[in-house]
Coordinates of all heavy atoms in Angstrom, one line a residue:
M896 N 0.8 -1.2 0.0 CA 0.0 0.0 0.0 C 0.9 1.2 0.0 O 1.9 1.2 0.5 CB -0.9 0.0 1.2 CG -2.2 -0.8 1.0 SD -3.3 -1.0 2.4 CE -3.7 0.7 2.8
R897 N 0.3 2.3 -0.6 CA 1.1 3.5 -0.7 C 0.8 4.5 0.4 O 1.1 5.7 0.3 CB 0.8 4.2 -2.0 CG 1.2 3.4 -3.2 CD 0.8 4.0 -4.5 NE -0.5 4.6 -4.4 CZ -1.1 5.0 -5.5 NH1 -0.6 5.1 -6.6 NH2 -2.4 5.5 -5.4
G898 N 0.2 4.1 1.5 CA 0.0 5.0 2.6 C -1.3 5.8 2.6 O -1.3 6.9 3.1
G899 N -2.3 5.3 2.0 CA -3.6 5.9 2.1 C -3.8 7.0 1.1 O -4.5 8.0 1.4
N900 N -3.4 6.9 -0.1 CA -3.6 7.8 -1.2 C -4.9 7.4 -1.9 O -5.0 6.9 -3.0 CB -2.5 7.8 -2.2 CG -2.6 8.9 -3.2 OD1 -3.4 9.9 -3.0 ND2 -1.8 8.8 -4.3
Y901 N -6.1 7.7 -1.2 CA -7.4 7.3 -1.6 C -8.1 8.3 -2.4 O -7.9 9.5 -2.2 CB -8.2 6.8 -0.4 CG -7.7 5.6 0.2 CD1 -6.7 5.6 1.2 CD2 -8.2 4.3 -0.2 CE1 -6.3 4.4 1.7 CE2 -7.8 3.2 0.3 CZ -6.8 3.2 1.3 OH -6.3 2.0 1.8
V902 N -9.0 7.9 -3.3 CA -9.9 8.7 -4.1 C -11.3 8.3 -3.8 O -11.6 7.1 -3.7 CB -9.6 8.6 -5.6 CG1 -10.5 9.4 -6.4 CG2 -8.1 8.9 -5.8
R903 N -12.2 9.3 -3.6 CA -13.7 9.0 -3.4 C -14.3 8.6 -4.8 O -14.1 9.2 -5.8 CB -14.4 10.2 -2.9 CG -14.0 10.5 -1.5 CD -14.8 11.6 -0.8 NE -14.9 12.8 -1.7 CZ -15.9 13.6 -1.7 NH1 -16.9 13.5 -0.9 NH2 -15.9 14.6 -2.5
C904 N -15.1 7.5 -4.7 CA -15.7 7.0 -5.9 C -17.1 6.6 -5.7 O -17.5 6.3 -4.6 CB -14.9 5.7 -6.4 SG -13.2 6.1 -6.8
W905 N -17.9 6.5 -6.8 CA -19.3 5.9 -6.7 C -19.1 4.5 -7.1 O -18.4 4.1 -8.0 CB -20.2 6.6 -7.7 CG -20.6 8.0 -7.4 CD1 -20.4 9.1 -8.1 CD2 -21.3 8.4 -6.2 NE1 -20.9 10.2 -7.5 CE2 -21.5 9.8 -6.3 CE3 -21.8 7.8 -5.1 CZ2 -22.2 10.6 -5.3 CZ3 -22.5 8.5 -4.1 CH2 -22.6 9.9 -4.3
I906 N -19.8 3.6 -6.3 CA -19.9 2.2 -6.6 C -21.3 1.7 -6.4 O -22.1 2.4 -5.8 CB -18.9 1.3 -5.8 CG1 -19.4 1.3 -4.3 CG2 -17.5 1.8 -5.9 CD1 -18.8 0.1 -3.6
V907 N -21.6 0.5 -6.9 CA -22.8 -0.2 -6.5 C -22.2 -1.6 -6.2 O -21.2 -2.0 -6.7 CB -23.9 -0.3 -7.6 CG1 -24.5 1.0 -7.9 CG2 -23.3 -0.9 -8.9
K908 N -23.0 -2.3 -5.4 CA -22.6 -3.7 -5.1 C -23.4 -4.6 -5.9 O -24.6 -4.5 -6.0 CB -22.7 -4.0 -3.6 CG -21.7 -3.2 -2.8 CD -21.7 -3.6 -1.3 CE -20.7 -2.8 -0.6 NZ -20.9 -2.8 0.8
C909 N -22.8 -5.7 -6.5 CA -23.5 -6.6 -7.3 C -24.7 -7.2 -6.5 O -24.6 -7.6 -5.3 CB -22.6 -7.8 -7.7 SG -23.4 -9.0 -8.7
K910 N -25.9 -7.2 -7.2 CA -27.1 -7.7 -6.5 C -27.3 -9.2 -6.6 O -28.2 -9.7 -6.0 CB -28.3 -7.0 -7.2 CG -28.4 -5.6 -6.9 CD -29.7 -5.0 -7.5 CE -29.9 -3.5 -7.2 NZ -31.1 -3.0 -7.8
T911 N -26.4 -9.9 -7.3 CA -26.5 -11.3 -7.4 C -26.3 -12.0 -6.0 O -25.3 -11.6 -5.4 CB -25.5 -11.9 -8.4 OG1 -25.7 -11.2 -9.7 CG2 -25.6 -13.4 -8.6
E912 N -27.2 -12.9 -5.6 CA -27.0 -13.5 -4.3 C -25.7 -14.2 -4.2 O -25.2 -14.8 -5.1 CB -28.1 -14.6 -4.2 CG -28.3 -15.2 -2.9 CD -29.5 -16.1 -2.7 OE1 -30.4 -16.0 -3.6 OE2 -29.4 -16.9 -1.8
R913 N -25.1 -14.0 -3.1 CA -23.7 -14.5 -2.7 C -22.6 -13.9 -3.5 O -21.5 -14.5 -3.6 CB -23.7 -16.1 -2.8 CG -24.6 -16.7 -1.8 CD -24.5 -18.2 -1.9 NE -24.9 -18.7 -3.2 CZ -26.0 -19.4 -3.5 NH1 -26.7 -19.8 -2.5 NH2 -26.3 -19.7 -4.7
C914 N -22.8 -12.8 -4.2 CA -21.7 -12.1 -4.9 C -21.3 -10.8 -4.1 O -20.4 -10.8 -3.4 CB -22.0 -11.8 -6.3 SG -20.6 -11.1 -7.2
G915 N -22.1 -9.8 -4.3 CA -21.9 -8.5 -3.6 C -20.6 -7.8 -4.1 O -20.1 -6.9 -3.4
W916 N -20.0 -8.2 -5.2 CA -18.8 -7.6 -5.7 C -19.0 -6.1 -5.9 O -20.0 -5.6 -6.4 CB -18.4 -8.2 -7.0 CG -17.1 -7.9 -7.5 CD1 -16.7 -7.0 -8.5 CD2 -15.8 -8.5 -7.1 NE1 -15.4 -7.0 -8.7 CE2 -14.8 -7.9 -7.9 CE3 -15.5 -9.5 -6.2 CZ2 -13.5 -8.2 -7.7 CZ3 -14.1 -9.8 -6.1 CH2 -13.2 -9.2 -6.8
P917 N -18.0 -5.2 -5.4 CA -18.2 -3.8 -5.6 C -17.9 -3.4 -7.1 O -16.8 -3.8 -7.6 CB -17.1 -3.2 -4.7 CG -16.1 -4.2 -4.5 CD -16.9 -5.5 -4.7
L918 N -18.8 -2.7 -7.7 CA -18.7 -2.4 -9.1 C -18.4 -0.9 -9.2 O -19.2 0.0 -8.9 CB -19.9 -2.7 -9.9 CG -20.4 -4.1 -9.8 CD1 -21.8 -4.3 -10.4 CD2 -19.4 -5.1 -10.4
F919 N -17.2 -0.5 -9.7 CA -16.7 0.9 -9.8 C -17.6 1.6 -10.9 O -17.8 1.0 -12.0 CB -15.3 0.9 -10.2 CG -14.8 2.3 -10.6 CD1 -14.5 3.2 -9.7 CD2 -14.6 2.6 -12.0 CE1 -14.0 4.5 -10.1 CE2 -14.2 3.8 -12.4 CZ -13.9 4.8 -11.4
L920 N -18.1 2.8 -10.6 CA -18.8 3.5 -11.6 C -18.1 4.8 -12.0 O -18.0 5.1 -13.2 CB -20.2 4.0 -11.0 CG -21.1 2.8 -10.5 CD1 -22.3 3.3 -9.9 CD2 -21.4 1.9 -11.7
D921 N -17.6 5.6 -11.1 CA -17.0 6.9 -11.4 C -16.2 7.5 -10.3 O -16.5 7.1 -9.1 CB -18.0 7.9 -11.9 CG -17.5 9.0 -12.8 OD1 -16.3 9.0 -13.1 OD2 -18.3 9.8 -13.3
V922 N -15.3 8.4 -10.5 CA -14.6 9.1 -9.5 C -15.3 10.3 -9.1 O -15.9 11.0 -9.9 CB -13.2 9.5 -10.0 CG1 -12.5 10.4 -9.0 CG2 -12.3 8.2 -10.2
I923 N -15.4 10.6 -7.8 CA -16.1 11.8 -7.2 C -15.0 12.9 -7.1 O -15.2 14.0 -7.5 CB -16.7 11.5 -5.9 CG1 -17.8 10.5 -6.0 CG2 -17.3 12.8 -5.3 CD1 -18.3 10.0 -4.7
G924 N -13.9 12.5 -6.4 CA -12.8 13.5 -6.2 C -11.9 13.0 -5.1 O -12.0 11.8 -4.7
P925 N -11.0 13.9 -4.6 CA -10.1 13.4 -3.6 C -10.8 13.1 -2.3 O -11.9 13.6 -2.0 CB -9.2 14.7 -3.4 CG -9.8 15.7 -4.2 CD -10.8 15.2 -5.1
Q926 N -10.2 12.3 -1.5 CA -10.7 11.9 -0.2 C -10.9 13.2 0.7 O -10.0 14.0 0.8 CB -9.8 10.9 0.5 CG -10.4 10.4 1.8 CD -9.4 9.4 2.5 OE1 -8.3 9.3 2.1 NE2 -9.9 8.7 3.4
N927 N -12.1 13.3 1.3 CA -12.4 14.5 2.2 C -13.5 14.1 3.1 O -14.6 14.0 2.7 CB -12.8 15.7 1.3 CG -13.0 16.9 2.2 OD1 -13.1 16.8 3.4 ND2 -13.0 18.1 1.6
R928 N -13.1 13.7 4.3 CA -14.1 13.2 5.3 C -15.1 14.3 5.7 O -16.2 13.9 6.2 CB -13.4 12.7 6.5 CG -12.5 11.5 6.3 CD -11.9 11.0 7.6 NE -10.8 10.1 7.4 CZ -10.9 8.9 7.0 NH1 -12.0 8.3 6.7 NH2 -9.8 8.1 6.9
A929 N -14.8 15.6 5.5 CA -15.7 16.6 5.9 C -16.8 16.9 4.9 O -17.8 17.5 5.2 CB -14.9 17.9 6.1
V930 N -16.7 16.4 3.7 CA -17.6 16.7 2.6 C -18.2 15.4 2.1 O -17.4 14.5 1.7 CB -17.0 17.5 1.5 CG1 -18.0 17.8 0.4 CG2 -16.4 18.8 2.0
H931 N -19.5 15.3 2.0 CA -20.1 14.1 1.4 C -20.7 14.6 0.0 O -21.2 15.6 -0.1 CB -21.3 13.6 2.3 CG -20.8 12.9 3.5 ND1 -20.3 11.7 3.5 CD2 -20.7 13.4 4.8 CE1 -19.9 11.4 4.7 NE2 -20.2 12.4 5.5
A932 N -20.4 13.7 -0.9 CA -20.9 14.0 -2.3 C -22.4 13.9 -2.3 O -23.0 13.1 -1.7 CB -20.3 13.0 -3.3
V933 N -23.0 14.7 -3.2 CA -24.5 14.7 -3.4 C -24.7 13.5 -4.3 O -24.1 13.4 -5.4 CB -25.0 16.0 -4.0 CG1 -26.4 15.9 -4.3 CG2 -24.7 17.1 -3.0
V934 N -25.6 12.6 -4.0 CA -26.0 11.5 -4.9 C -26.6 12.0 -6.1 O -27.6 12.8 -6.1 CB -26.9 10.5 -4.1 CG1 -27.3 9.4 -5.1 CG2 -26.3 10.0 -2.9
P935 N -26.0 11.7 -7.3 CA -26.6 12.3 -8.5 C -27.9 11.7 -8.9 O -28.2 10.5 -8.6 CB -25.5 11.9 -9.6 CG -24.8 10.7 -9.0 CD -24.9 10.9 -7.5
A936 N -28.8 12.5 -9.5 CA -30.0 11.9 -10.0 C -29.7 11.1 -11.2 O -28.8 11.4 -12.0 CB -30.9 13.1 -10.5
C937 N -30.2 9.9 -11.3 CA -30.0 9.0 -12.4 C -31.2 8.1 -12.7 O -31.9 7.8 -11.7 CB -28.7 8.2 -12.3 SG -28.7 7.0 -11.0
R938 N -31.3 7.8 -13.9 CA -32.4 6.8 -14.2 C -31.8 5.4 -14.0 O -30.5 5.3 -13.9 CB -32.9 7.0 -15.6 CG -31.8 6.9 -16.7 CD -32.4 7.2 -18.1 NE -31.4 7.3 -19.1 CZ -30.8 6.3 -19.7 NH1 -31.2 5.0 -19.4 NH2 -29.9 6.4 -20.6
P939 N -32.6 4.4 -14.0 CA -32.0 3.0 -13.8 C -31.0 2.7 -14.9 O -31.1 3.1 -16.1 CB -33.3 2.1 -13.9 CG -34.4 3.0 -13.5 CD -34.0 4.4 -14.1
F940 N -30.0 1.9 -14.6 CA -29.0 1.5 -15.5 C -28.6 0.0 -15.2 O -28.7 -0.4 -14.1 CB -27.8 2.4 -15.5 CG -27.1 2.5 -14.1 CD1 -26.0 1.8 -13.8 CD2 -27.6 3.4 -13.2 CE1 -25.4 1.9 -12.6 CE2 -27.0 3.5 -11.9 CZ -25.9 2.8 -11.6
K941 N -28.1 -0.7 -16.2 CA -27.7 -2.1 -16.1 C -26.1 -2.1 -16.1 O -25.5 -1.4 -16.9 CB -28.3 -2.9 -17.2 CG -29.7 -3.1 -17.1 CD -30.3 -4.1 -18.1 CE -31.7 -4.3 -18.0 NZ -32.2 -5.2 -19.1
V942 N -25.6 -3.0 -15.3 CA -24.1 -3.2 -15.2 C -23.9 -4.7 -15.1 O -24.6 -5.4 -14.3 CB -23.5 -2.5 -14.1 CG1 -22.0 -2.7 -14.1 CG2 -23.7 -1.0 -14.2
T943 N -22.9 -5.2 -15.8 CA -22.6 -6.6 -15.7 C -21.4 -6.8 -14.7 O -20.4 -6.1 -14.9 CB -22.2 -7.2 -17.1 OG1 -23.3 -7.1 -17.9 CG2 -21.8 -8.7 -16.9
C944 N -21.5 -7.6 -13.8 CA -20.5 -7.9 -12.8 C -19.4 -8.7 -13.4 O -19.7 -9.8 -13.9 CB -21.1 -8.6 -11.6 SG -19.8 -9.0 -10.3
P945 N -18.1 -8.3 -13.3 CA -17.0 -9.1 -13.9 C -16.7 -10.3 -13.0 O -16.1 -11.3 -13.5 CB -15.8 -8.1 -13.9 CG -16.1 -7.2 -12.8 CD -17.6 -7.0 -12.8
E946 N -17.2 -10.3 -11.8 CA -16.9 -11.5 -10.9 C -17.8 -12.6 -11.2 O -17.4 -13.8 -11.3 CB -17.0 -11.0 -9.4 CG -16.6 -12.1 -8.4 CD -15.2 -12.5 -8.4 OE1 -14.3 -11.8 -9.0 OE2 -14.9 -13.5 -7.8
C947 N -19.1 -12.4 -11.3 CA -20.1 -13.5 -11.5 C -20.7 -13.5 -12.9 O -21.5 -14.3 -13.2 CB -21.2 -13.4 -10.4 SG -22.3 -12.0 -10.6
N948 N -20.4 -12.4 -13.7 CA -20.8 -12.3 -15.1 C -22.4 -12.2 -15.2 O -22.9 -12.7 -16.1 CB -20.3 -13.5 -15.9 CG -20.3 -13.1 -17.4 OD1 -20.0 -12.0 -17.7 ND2 -20.5 -14.1 -18.2
T949 N -23.0 -11.6 -14.2 CA -24.4 -11.4 -14.2 C -24.8 -9.9 -14.4 O -24.1 -9.1 -13.7 CB -25.0 -11.9 -12.9 OG1 -24.7 -13.3 -12.7 CG2 -26.6 -11.8 -12.9
E950 N -25.7 -9.6 -15.2 CA -26.2 -8.3 -15.4 C -27.4 -8.0 -14.5 O -28.3 -8.8 -14.4 CB -26.6 -8.0 -16.9 CG -27.1 -6.6 -17.2 CD -27.5 -6.5 -18.6 OE1 -28.6 -7.0 -19.0 OE2 -26.8 -5.8 -19.4
N951 N -27.3 -6.8 -13.8 CA -28.4 -6.4 -12.9 C -28.7 -5.0 -13.1 O -27.9 -4.2 -13.7 CB -27.9 -6.6 -11.4 CG -27.9 -8.0 -11.0 OD1 -28.8 -8.7 -11.0 ND2 -26.7 -8.5 -10.6
L952 N -29.9 -4.6 -12.7 CA -30.4 -3.3 -12.8 C -30.2 -2.5 -11.5 O -30.5 -3.0 -10.4 CB -31.9 -3.3 -13.1 CG -32.6 -2.0 -13.4 CD1 -32.1 -1.4 -14.7 CD2 -34.1 -2.2 -13.5
Y953 N -29.7 -1.3 -11.6 CA -29.3 -0.4 -10.5 C -30.0 0.9 -10.6 O -30.3 1.3 -11.8 CB -27.8 -0.3 -10.4 CG -27.1 -1.6 -10.2 CD1 -26.6 -2.3 -11.3 CD2 -26.9 -2.1 -8.9 CE1 -26.0 -3.5 -11.1 CE2 -26.3 -3.3 -8.7 CZ -25.8 -4.0 -9.8 OH -25.2 -5.2 -9.6
G954 N -30.1 1.6 -9.5 CA -30.7 3.0 -9.6 C -30.0 3.9 -8.5 O -29.1 3.5 -7.9
Q955 N -30.6 5.0 -8.4 CA -30.0 6.1 -7.5 C -29.8 5.5 -6.1 O -28.8 5.8 -5.4 CB -30.8 7.3 -7.5 CG -30.3 8.5 -6.8 CD -31.1 9.7 -6.9 OE1 -32.2 9.7 -7.5 NE2 -30.6 10.8 -6.4
S956 N -30.8 4.8 -5.6 CA -30.7 4.3 -4.2 C -29.6 3.2 -4.0 O -29.2 3.0 -2.8 CB -32.0 3.8 -3.7 OG -32.4 2.6 -4.5
D957 N -29.1 2.7 -5.1 CA -28.0 1.7 -5.0 C -26.6 2.3 -4.9 O -25.6 1.6 -4.6 CB -28.0 0.7 -6.2 CG -29.3 0.0 -6.2 OD1 -29.7 -0.6 -5.2 OD2 -30.0 0.0 -7.3
L958 N -26.5 3.6 -5.2 CA -25.2 4.2 -5.2 C -24.6 4.3 -3.8 O -25.3 4.7 -2.9 CB -25.3 5.6 -5.8 CG -25.7 5.7 -7.3 CD1 -25.9 7.2 -7.7 CD2 -24.8 5.0 -8.2
E959 N -23.3 4.0 -3.7 CA -22.6 4.2 -2.5 C -21.3 4.9 -2.7 O -20.6 4.8 -3.8 CB -22.2 2.8 -1.9 CG -23.4 2.0 -1.5 CD -23.0 0.6 -1.0 OE1 -21.9 0.5 -0.5 OE2 -23.9 -0.3 -1.0
E960 N -20.9 5.7 -1.8 CA -19.6 6.5 -1.8 C -18.6 5.7 -1.1 O -18.8 5.3 0.0 CB -19.8 7.8 -1.2 CG -18.5 8.7 -1.2 CD -18.8 10.0 -0.5 OE1 -19.9 10.5 -0.4 OE2 -17.8 10.5 0.1
H961 N -17.4 5.3 -1.8 CA -16.4 4.6 -1.2 C -15.0 5.2 -1.5 O -14.9 5.8 -2.5 CB -16.4 3.1 -1.6 CG -17.4 2.3 -1.0 ND1 -17.1 1.6 0.2 CD2 -18.7 2.0 -1.2 CE1 -18.2 0.9 0.6 NE2 -19.1 1.2 -0.3
N962 N -14.1 5.0 -0.6 CA -12.7 5.5 -0.9 C -11.9 4.3 -1.4 O -11.8 3.2 -0.8 CB -12.0 6.0 0.4 CG -12.7 7.2 0.9 OD1 -13.0 8.1 0.1 ND2 -12.9 7.3 2.2
L963 N -11.4 4.5 -2.6 CA -10.6 3.4 -3.3 C -9.2 3.9 -3.5 O -8.9 5.1 -3.8 CB -11.2 3.1 -4.7 CG -12.6 2.6 -4.7 CD1 -13.1 2.3 -6.1 CD2 -12.8 1.3 -3.9
E964 N -8.2 3.0 -3.2 CA -6.8 3.4 -3.3 C -6.4 3.6 -4.8 O -5.7 4.6 -5.1 CB -5.9 2.4 -2.6 CG -4.4 2.9 -2.6 CD -3.5 2.1 -1.7 OE1 -3.9 1.0 -1.3 OE2 -2.4 2.6 -1.4
D965 N -6.7 2.7 -5.6 CA -6.4 2.8 -7.0 C -7.6 2.6 -7.9 O -7.7 1.5 -8.5 CB -5.3 1.8 -7.4 CG -3.9 2.2 -6.8 OD1 -3.5 3.4 -7.0 OD2 -3.3 1.3 -6.1
P966 N -8.5 3.6 -8.1 CA -9.7 3.3 -8.9 C -9.3 3.1 -10.4 O -8.2 3.6 -10.8 CB -10.5 4.6 -8.7 CG -9.5 5.6 -8.3 CD -8.4 4.9 -7.6
P967 N -10.1 2.4 -11.1 CA -9.8 2.2 -12.5 C -9.8 3.5 -13.3 O -10.4 4.4 -12.8 CB -11.0 1.3 -13.0 CG -11.5 0.7 -11.7 CD -11.3 1.7 -10.6
K968 N -9.1 3.5 -14.4 CA -9.2 4.7 -15.2 C -10.5 4.8 -15.9 O -11.1 3.7 -16.2 CB -8.1 4.7 -16.3 CG -6.7 4.6 -15.7 CD -6.2 6.0 -15.4 CE -4.7 5.9 -15.0 NZ -4.5 6.3 -13.6
G969 N -11.0 5.9 -16.2 CA -12.3 6.1 -16.9 C -13.5 5.9 -16.0 O -13.4 6.1 -14.8
C970 N -14.6 5.6 -16.6 CA -15.8 5.4 -15.8 C -16.8 4.4 -16.5 O -16.5 4.0 -17.6 CB -16.5 6.7 -15.6 SG -16.9 7.5 -17.1
C971 N -17.8 4.1 -15.8 CA -18.8 3.1 -16.3 C -19.8 3.9 -17.2 O -20.5 4.8 -16.8 CB -19.6 2.5 -15.2 SG -21.0 1.5 -15.7
K972 N -19.7 3.6 -18.5 CA -20.5 4.3 -19.5 C -22.0 4.3 -19.2 O -22.7 5.3 -19.3 CB -20.3 3.8 -20.9 CG -21.0 4.5 -22.0 CD -20.8 3.9 -23.4 CE -21.6 4.5 -24.5 NZ -22.9 5.0 -24.2
E973 N -22.5 3.1 -18.7 CA -23.9 3.0 -18.4 C -24.4 4.0 -17.3 O -25.4 4.5 -17.3 CB -24.3 1.6 -18.0 CG -24.1 0.6 -19.1 CD -22.7 0.1 -19.4 OE1 -21.8 0.5 -18.6 OE2 -22.5 -0.7 -20.3
F974 N -23.5 4.2 -16.3 CA -23.7 5.1 -15.2 C -23.8 6.5 -15.7 O -24.7 7.3 -15.4 CB -22.7 4.9 -14.1 CG -22.8 5.9 -13.0 CD1 -24.0 5.9 -12.2 CD2 -21.8 6.7 -12.7 CE1 -24.1 6.8 -11.1 CE2 -21.9 7.6 -11.6 CZ -23.1 7.7 -10.8
V975 N -22.8 6.9 -16.5 CA -22.7 8.3 -17.0 C -24.0 8.5 -17.9 O -24.6 9.6 -17.8 CB -21.4 8.5 -17.8 CG1 -21.4 9.9 -18.5 CG2 -20.2 8.4 -16.9
D976 N -24.3 7.6 -18.8 CA -25.5 7.8 -19.6 C -26.8 7.9 -18.7 O -27.7 8.7 -19.1 CB -25.7 6.6 -20.5 CG -24.7 6.6 -21.7 OD1 -24.0 7.6 -21.8 OD2 -24.5 5.5 -22.3
A977 N -26.8 7.2 -17.6 CA -28.0 7.2 -16.7 C -28.1 8.6 -16.1 O -29.2 9.1 -15.9 CB -27.9 6.1 -15.7
I978 N -27.0 9.2 -15.7 CA -27.0 10.5 -15.1 C -27.4 11.6 -16.2 O -28.3 12.4 -15.9 CB -25.6 10.9 -14.6 CG1 -25.3 10.0 -13.4 CG2 -25.6 12.4 -14.1 CD1 -23.8 10.2 -12.9
V979 N -26.8 11.5 -17.4 CA -27.2 12.4 -18.4 C -28.7 12.3 -18.8 O -29.4 13.3 -18.9 CB -26.3 12.2 -19.7 CG1 -26.8 13.0 -20.9 CG2 -24.9 12.6 -19.4
G980 N -29.2 11.1 -18.8 CA -30.6 10.8 -19.1 C -31.5 11.4 -18.1 O -32.6 11.8 -18.4
A981 N -31.1 11.5 -16.8 CA -31.9 12.0 -15.8 C -31.9 13.5 -15.7 O -32.8 14.1 -15.2 CB -31.5 11.4 -14.4
T982 N -30.8 14.1 -16.1 CA -30.6 15.5 -16.0 C -30.8 16.3 -17.3 O -31.0 17.5 -17.2 CB -29.2 15.9 -15.4 OG1 -28.2 15.4 -16.4 CG2 -29.0 15.3 -14.1
D983 N -30.9 15.6 -18.4 CA -31.1 16.3 -19.7 C -32.6 16.4 -20.0 O -33.2 15.3 -20.2 CB -30.3 15.5 -20.8 CG -30.5 16.2 -22.1 OD1 -31.2 17.2 -22.3 OD2 -29.9 15.6 -23.1
P984 N -33.2 17.5 -20.0 CA -34.6 17.6 -20.2 C -35.1 17.1 -21.6 O -36.2 16.8 -21.8 CB -35.0 19.1 -20.0 CG -33.7 19.8 -20.1 CD -32.6 18.8 -19.8
D985 N -34.1 17.2 -22.5 CA -34.5 16.7 -23.9 C -34.3 15.2 -24.1 O -34.8 14.7 -25.1 CB -33.5 17.4 -24.9 CG -33.8 18.9 -25.0 OD1 -34.9 19.3 -24.7 OD2 -32.8 19.7 -25.2
S986 N -33.8 14.6 -23.1 CA -33.6 13.1 -23.2 C -34.9 12.4 -22.8 O -35.4 12.6 -21.7 CB -32.5 12.7 -22.2 OG -32.4 11.3 -22.2
R987 N -35.3 11.6 -23.7 CA -36.6 10.8 -23.4 C -36.3 9.3 -23.4 O -37.2 8.5 -23.6 CB -37.6 11.2 -24.5 CG -38.0 12.6 -24.5 CD -38.8 13.0 -23.2 NE -39.1 14.4 -23.2 CZ -38.8 15.3 -22.3 NH1 -38.1 14.9 -21.3 NH2 -39.1 16.5 -22.4
K988 N -35.0 8.9 -23.2 CA -34.7 7.5 -23.2 C -35.3 6.9 -22.0 O -35.4 7.4 -20.9 CB -33.2 7.4 -23.1 CG -32.4 7.8 -24.3 CD -31.0 7.5 -24.0 CE -30.1 7.9 -25.2 NZ -28.7 7.7 -24.9
E989 N -35.8 5.6 -22.2 CA -36.2 4.8 -21.1 C -35.2 3.8 -20.8 O -34.4 3.4 -21.6 CB -37.6 4.2 -21.4 CG -38.7 5.2 -21.6 CD -40.0 4.5 -21.8 OE1 -40.2 3.4 -21.3 OE2 -40.9 5.1 -22.4
A990 N -35.2 3.3 -19.5 CA -34.3 2.3 -19.1 C -34.6 1.0 -19.9 O -35.7 0.7 -20.1 CB -34.4 2.0 -17.6
V991 N -33.5 0.3 -20.2 CA -33.6 -0.9 -21.0 C -34.1 -2.0 -20.1 O -33.8 -2.1 -19.0 CB -32.3 -1.3 -21.6 CG1 -32.4 -2.6 -22.4 CG2 -31.8 -0.1 -22.5

């Protein structure tokens, strides 16, 4: 370990029974215990778990803020699309 060089991230936990694998969605910013991120409005989105290879449907209430030492580069496209779909008034996409 590099001594606690953590980054705040959005994750969801796999909903598949007996899995619960944390699925990285996006970076929030640097670790700051004094500030909690506002949960973004998002429409439902599907993500496939790399651990159990099962696709599940997630929503705003499933989002969790976690500190990760080395988050993956980039972000989960389905999550970003779900946020844009919820905040863009011209977007009329429905969840798949």
Side-chain angles (χ1 to χ4, degrees):
M896 274 175 63
R897 298 180 312 190
N900 189 14
Y901 289 87
V902 177
R903 294 184 311 151
C904 301
W905 288 120
I906 70 159
V907 290
K908 290 187 180 162
C909 180
K910 291 182 175 181
T911 302
E912 191 174 340
R913 293 183 300 252
C914 183
W916 191 259
L918 305 172
F919 169 80
L920 300 176
D921 202 1
V922 170
I923 300 169
Q926 184 179 14
N927 185 343
R928 296 185 197 283
V930 178
H931 289 283
V933 175
V934 178
C937 67
R938 60 183 172 80
F940 57 98
K941 291 182 178 180
V942 178
T943 300
C944 176
E946 183 69 12
C947 69
N948 203 35
T949 304
E950 181 180 71
N951 287 298
L952 185 66
Y953 299 92
Q955 186 174 7
S956 64
D957 298 310
L958 296 177
E959 296 181 20
E960 179 182 333
H961 280 269
N962 292 318
L963 301 177
E964 187 167 13
D965 289 309
K968 301 273 188 245
C970 58
C971 173
K972 181 184 179 325
E973 293 80 4
F974 176 61
V975 173
D976 289 348
I978 293 173
V979 171
T982 58
D983 180 2
D985 296 328
S986 175
R987 300 292 179 236
K988 291 182 181 177
E989 292 188 24
V991 180

